[in-house]
Amino acid sequence: MGIHFDEKKQTFSIDTANSTYQFQVDRHGFLLHLYYGKKISGNADYLLKYLDRGFSGNPACLINDRTFSMDVLPQELPVWGSGDFRSPAFVVEKEDGTRSVDLKYVTYQIRKGKYSLPGLPAVYVSDEEATEAETLEIVLEDSVLSLEVDLLYGVLPKLDIITRAIQIKNKGADTVYLDKLMPASLDFITGDYDLITFHGRHTMERLMQRVPINHLSQRIGSRRGASSHQFNPMLIAAKPETTDSFGDCYAMEFVYSGGFQAEALKDQFGTTRVQMGLQEEGFHYPVAFGETFTSPEVILSFSRDGFDRLSHNLHDVIRQHICRGAYQYQPRPVLVNSWEGSLCNITRDSLLSLAREGKEIGLDMLVVDDGWFGNRDDDNTSLGDWYANEEKLGGSLAQLITDVNRIGLKFGIWMEPEMISEKSHLYEMHPDWALQIPGRIPIRGRNQLVLDFSRKDVRDYIYDRICDILDSGNIEYLKWDYNRSIYDVYSEGVTHQGRVLYDYMLGLYEVLEKLVNRYPHVLIEGCSGGGGRYDAGMLYYTPQIWTSDNTDPIDRMLIQYGTSFGYPASTMAAHVSKSPNEQTGRVTPIQTRVIAAMYGSFGFELDLSLLTKEEKKAAGEEVKKYHRLERLITDGRYYRLSDPAKDKFCAWSFVSRDGAEALVNAVVLKLQSNDELFYVRPKGLKPERVYKEINTGECYDSDLLMSAGLPLPKESGEHRAYQFHFILQQ
Ligand code: DGJ
């Protein structure tokens, strides 16, 4: 395992437990990609064929060799200007508008440990793990532009994880502009692949789509300034025959929360190119003499055992090497959030009564959502005025926190720090702090504007306000919300506006980094109208994210299923809400809402006084049960047991790493008269063993369970849900 350089063949091989990634320094100094897939011991350079292809030009350094063309050969970093007419990963423009890059290999370095990226979230390893992780740095150079381009590869061998990032150093006198940068670009020389992406919309995020990659460029991304509800910055390329449990598949996951793009296409000669990186439109980043630009990284993983294994690799890297802080592994508080129950209409009495009801059913925390500050009686005003509305709270925030603590609950609070309302004191004082283009009326989203986080004075002010709030009492949780897209990009005093969106993200990360360092014991939950910024970048600061503003348990099956491909259950906040549901009006039994919310970080979000006595009793029992099951849910292996877009039920399970117990869950999505029985087939149990289902006391042969399945009870009534808890028998 590890990184090797074969001097003779000038080939770099990155070996993980089950995969090999290989590229070569060609005889002309170009970097050619050779192979990524199942672990191999040989050299894949025999796959390269040098042919004279019409209209495929030859690099300038070749004299009279018509068989070498970048247009045809697989590239490690395809650049614009080399003669490769496929999608480039790197486009640079000079002041005069010329666009051309010619990168040649200079040297390399292999070192222990995983690289970090200044100012950016990235996969990290602990000191002990640093001996296993490795970094490969390849130095390339364009001698005409005097640009040094460093390709960074990080390797976590046991997890089958490779990361890629790029640093660009300008050593010449002239400023250059980066117009496109895809830190990960993979060329698969042969084979057919499917592209699996996760699209959606507000309240319906990360819906899986699978299509063949063919002679057509397929592009996903976000131009919204945030990773977005519309597409998630994560994709899978898979052989057409690949399923959850079988076949070759590759993941790309961006550790970045701003605009992104990813593209897949089959070129004219059958090579498949898949790439992921920064969103192109609006990106025109100046790099002056002496400056270095650092890209965010992309996580890559390969599985030859289907999507379950691929997801396990991603779950492990996110949970163990992206998420940080006290709550990385610590049980999360089971909370009640005030939003769906009261919206902005909160009062001291309503909050204290919610806290008391919460205490009765055994909850750990009250989260005061929107409406506690400024003149915020609805969502049209006051963002930026981060001062408690003492009239509404019937006293100071400190007093409210003390009172909630006295009831026996921890206290959490909501903020939306990146936003400003035009109806706010902050806007009266600093209208220029909002992103808006001079001479144009800005586009509003939820009647609010976005603060210019690329500016230090803005960031410092907001950071101080957040600290004042967090210092005002025993606040143990912060929900960091973000409720619109960015349209009007203009920042005072910047030489080129093409850098603003990227600098905005660096600014956001700077504030979050300062906060996690100053408040290591505060759990920060990420949120953007639910899951509009559900990405590995945010998870570096916020170990959980509000998965969706949609709390309907039936819709949540699709949302949580899609999310599960790239993100572990511990990152998914899921709450039990009222029935009929606020978003869909659908009526569902409390048991179904509870089981759907036990998919991740569990909580409640409704006026608890509306629950009947029986429902409260049941809820209390479920809270106790969740506490018993939490470890299994967050640390166990997660398996998808059905496809909720096709099947009439959604089933999933968590299996402890030692195979000693398994929690199998199923929610019936569609019911027809006299229907067939639904059989749920658990995965990941120990073979040739016996498991006991603890609620019924029934014992089952594990192989039989895994091959024939377990029938769900035949009951009438829409949207029933079931949970089976299996314990391995000695
Ligand atoms: C959007 C979030 O997703 C909701 O949970 C809630 O916090 C509202 N914002 C508050 O405005």
Side-chain angles (χ1 to χ4, degrees):
M1 286 205 285
I3 302 167
H4 312 280
F5 181 53
D6 178 340
E7 289 276 354
K8 210 165 126 224
K9 290 245 176 191
Q10 293 285 295
T11 298
F12 291 94
S13 293
I14 304 174
D15 288 323
T16 68
N18 300 290
S19 71
T20 297
Y21 184 107
Q22 218 175 62
F23 58 94
Q24 187 171 57
V25 185
D26 145 270
R27 60 189 189 281
H28 308 295
F30 296 115
L31 275 195
L32 299 182
H33 183 79
L34 295 180
Y35 174 82
Y36 185 29
K38 178 183 178 318
K39 196 165 184 168
I40 52 165
S41 52
N43 195 299
D45 64 353
Y46 75 92
L47 295 173
L48 301 179
K49 287 285 167 243
Y50 297 90
L51 302 170
D52 180 358
R53 302 269 198 192
F55 288 83
S56 292
N58 318 109
C61 60
L62 298 174
I63 301 163
N64 286 336
D65 180 359
R66 292 171 35 159
T67 65
F68 189 102
S69 177
M70 303 302 265
D71 200 25
V72 176
L73 290 163
Q75 315 283 320
E76 190 55 19
L77 181 72
V79 300
W80 180 249
S82 67
D84 181 350
F85 285 92
R86 296 166 287 186
S87 263
F90 186 44
V91 179
V92 176
E93 189 170 290
K94 291 206 322 179
E95 288 282 7
D96 66 1
T98 316
R99 289 174 155 205
S100 171
V101 188
D102 182 17
L103 290 175
K104 291 282 171 53
Y105 173 78
V106 178
T107 185
Y108 78 96
Q109 202 190 60
I110 297 172
R111 40 182 197 267
K112 285 275 162 229
K114 155 83 182 36
Y115 65 81
S116 56
L117 300 172
L120 284 161
V123 167
Y124 68 91
V125 291
S126 65
D127 291 345
E128 306 87 70
E129 291 158 337
T131 48
E132 281 176 11
E134 278 187 293
T135 292
L136 168 64
E137 184 172 340
I138 302 282
V139 179
L140 307 172
E141 189 187 50
D142 181 316
S143 55
V144 173
L145 292 177
S146 299
L147 271 194
E148 179 181 313
V149 174
D150 298 344
L151 306 186
L152 295 171
Y153 299 80
V155 192
L156 272 54
K158 283 193 191 145
L159 299 188
D160 288 322
I161 292 291
I162 297 174
T163 61
R164 287 192 62 178
I166 302 182
Q167 285 192 315
I168 293 120
K169 300 176 183 166
N170 188 350
K171 298 178 162 180
D174 298 334
T175 297
V176 296
Y177 294 86
L178 309 182
D179 276 348
K180 184 174 181 187
L181 191 53
M182 307 276 114
S185 184
L186 289 175
D187 282 353
F188 298 96
I189 299 175
T190 62
D192 291 327
Y193 294 87
D194 285 350
L195 175 68
I196 293 151
T197 52
F198 302 89
H199 69 100
R201 54 189 187 270
H202 178 220
T203 72
M204 214 58 217
E205 301 91 335
R206 290 173 297 286
L207 308 174
M208 185 206 199
Q209 173 177 279
R210 181 173 185 162
V211 291
I213 299 178
N214 47 31
H215 294 277
L216 175 75
S217 160
Q218 300 188 77
R219 182 174 148 178
I220 61 161
S222 161
R223 301 182 181 95
R224 296 172 176 273
S227 48
S228 92
H229 303 85
Q230 210 173 331
F231 284 108
N232 193 263
M234 134 92 186
L235 64 78
I236 297 172
K239 292 273 172 62
E241 64 276 13
T242 302
T243 65
D244 267 334
S245 341
F246 163 86
D248 287 3
C249 47
Y250 304 79
M252 282 189 181
E253 186 156 339
F254 207 13
V255 189
Y256 187 62
S257 319
F260 78 99
Q261 77 188 40
E263 193 176 353
L265 66 142
K266 195 173 245 204
D267 76 7
Q268 50 186 336
F269 302 112
T271 291
T272 297
R273 176 167 291 177
V274 185
Q275 41 184 225
M276 180 176 274
L278 296 169
Q279 178 253 344
E280 224 176 317
E281 294 96 349
F283 180 69
H284 186 64
Y285 203 98
V287 186
F289 170 65
E291 287 181 348
T292 297
F293 179 92
T294 304
S295 83
E297 71 181 7
V298 175
I299 297 173
L300 302 174
S301 190
F302 166 76
S303 155
R304 52 184 300 231
D305 301 316
F307 306 129
D308 279 340
R309 181 62 187 267
L310 194 69
S311 294
H312 294 164
N313 297 347
L314 296 172
H315 292 178
D316 283 352
V317 74
I318 298 281
R319 183 146 162 88
Q320 297 165 19
H321 301 279
I322 285 282
C323 294
R324 302 178 294 167
Y327 281 98
Q328 182 179 7
Y329 299 117
Q330 206 170 294
R332 313 280 166 76
V334 179
L335 55 85
V336 58
N337 176 299
S338 63
W339 178 248
E340 277 202 20
S342 314
L343 303 179
C344 289
N345 311 316
I346 45 173
T347 61
R348 174 185 164 78
D349 286 349
S350 73
L351 291 171
L352 291 182
S353 104
L354 190 60
R356 276 186 219 104
E357 303 266 1
K359 181 70 191 163
E360 236 184 85
I361 61 168
L363 301 185
D364 305 314
M365 177 181 273
L366 170 76
V367 172
V368 176
D369 207 284
D370 203 348
W372 59 268
F373 57 95
N375 295 319
R376 184 86 164 168
D377 291 328
D378 58 35
D379 60 7
N380 289 299
T381 161
S382 298
L383 294 169
D385 292 347
W386 299 113
Y387 299 92
N389 181 329
E390 299 200 346
E391 209 178 296
K392 259 178 143 175
L393 300 188
S396 66
L397 181 60
Q399 188 56 52
L400 180 68
I401 298 168
T402 309
D403 291 346
V404 170
N405 284 172
R406 273 205 198 112
I407 291 171
L409 259 59
K410 296 171 194 285
F411 187 91
I413 201 158
W414 174 97
M415 291 181 85
E416 195 177 356
E418 296 156 79
M419 297 293 159
I420 182 165
S421 305
E422 285 162 279
K423 269 197 227 155
S424 68
H425 296 300
L426 186 65
Y427 191 79
E428 276 166 29
M429 287 186 301
H430 298 291
D432 60 310
W433 281 13
L435 284 172
Q436 45 189 326
I437 299 173
R440 287 197 186 277
I441 299 171
I443 295 172
R444 280 117 189 160
R446 212 193 193 196
N447 236 341
Q448 61 198 49
L449 302 178
V450 184
L451 276 172
D452 182 358
F453 260 48
S454 73
R455 276 174 66 159
K456 186 166 176 347
D457 52 352
V458 175
R459 296 197 297 271
D460 288 351
Y461 174 86
I462 291 296
Y463 174 73
D464 288 347
R465 291 306 317 129
I466 300 172
C467 292
D468 275 359
I469 296 299
L470 294 182
D471 292 342
S472 62
N474 184 22
I475 298 181
E476 297 179 67
Y477 160 110
L478 170 67
K479 179 172 170 186
W480 183 294
D481 207 347
Y482 173 92
N483 283 306
R484 55 161 285 178
S485 306
I486 300 181
Y487 312 98
D488 300 283
V489 181
Y490 176 87
S491 176
E492 271 305 312
V494 168
T495 48
H496 204 289
Q497 300 300 326
R499 65 182 297 158
V500 173
L501 284 176
Y502 195 69
D503 288 350
Y504 179 102
M505 289 316 300
L506 294 179
L508 170 64
Y509 292 146
E510 179 199 283
V511 173
L512 286 167
E513 182 67 24
K514 284 196 326 198
L515 282 175
V516 298
N517 289 326
R518 177 161 165 172
Y519 302 99
H521 298 293
V522 172
L523 169 62
I524 310 184
E525 176 171 296
C527 177
S528 168
R533 214 162 49 179
Y534 204 119
D535 54 68
M538 286 309 286
L539 288 169
Y540 189 67
Y541 309 95
T542 71
Q544 65 184 46
I545 293 178
W546 179 225
T547 313
S548 177
D549 268 351
N550 187 344
T551 55
D552 176 314
I554 303 307
D555 280 357
R556 273 276 179 146
M557 289 300 101
L558 284 168
I559 297 167
Q560 293 171 178
Y561 169 82
T563 309
S564 78
F565 280 84
Y567 305 92
S570 61
T571 66
M572 290 188 223
H575 296 168
V576 176
S577 66
K578 67 174 191 211
S579 174
N581 179 268
E582 179 76 22
Q583 293 81 28
T584 61
R586 196 176 348 239
V587 175
T588 51
I590 182 113
Q591 172 78 353
T592 302
R593 283 174 273 150
V594 165
I595 290 178
M598 281 195 190
Y599 214 114
S601 188
F602 184 59
F604 288 75
E605 186 154 342
L606 73 165
D607 179 353
L608 292 172
S609 68
L610 297 179
L611 293 181
T612 62
K613 232 175 159 192
E614 291 71 45
E615 283 176 330
K616 263 190 203 162
K617 197 165 164 254
E621 291 306 318
E622 297 298 344
V623 173
K624 280 193 214 137
K625 194 208 272 176
Y626 180 75
H627 281 303
R628 290 196 303 272
L629 292 174
E630 184 176 2
R631 280 271 168 245
L632 179 56
I633 292 172
T634 55
D635 295 348
R637 278 279 179 236
Y638 166 90
Y639 291 94
R640 289 173 286 270
L641 305 180
S642 74
D643 176 350
K646 293 193 188 125
D647 298 327
K648 288 185 181 164
F649 64 94
C650 179
W652 69 100
S653 70
F654 303 98
V655 182
S656 63
R657 303 261 171 151
D658 60 2
E661 55 177 329
L663 185 71
V664 175
N665 306 274
V667 170
V668 177
L669 303 174
K670 260 192 216 146
L671 193 71
Q672 285 175 335
S673 168
N674 204 17
D675 212 342
E676 63 193 69
L677 274 182
F678 303 140
Y679 286 82
V680 175
R681 291 210 301 271
K683 294 181 196 165
L685 304 180
K686 278 187 176 289
E688 297 175 20
R689 300 294 290 270
V690 171
Y691 282 80
K692 184 185 206 164
E693 204 287 313
I694 57 170
N695 299 305
T696 59
E698 294 268 349
C699 284
Y700 298 88
D701 175 296
S702 59
D703 293 303
L704 188 58
L705 262 187
M706 289 193 284
S707 62
L710 184 77
L712 296 184
K714 187 99 179 76
E715 289 182 277
S716 61
E718 198 75 87
H719 305 314
R720 302 275 170 181
Y722 306 93
Q723 206 167 48
F724 307 95
H725 192 175
F726 294 101
I727 305 287
L728 178 68
Q729 302 301 288
Q730 292 314 317

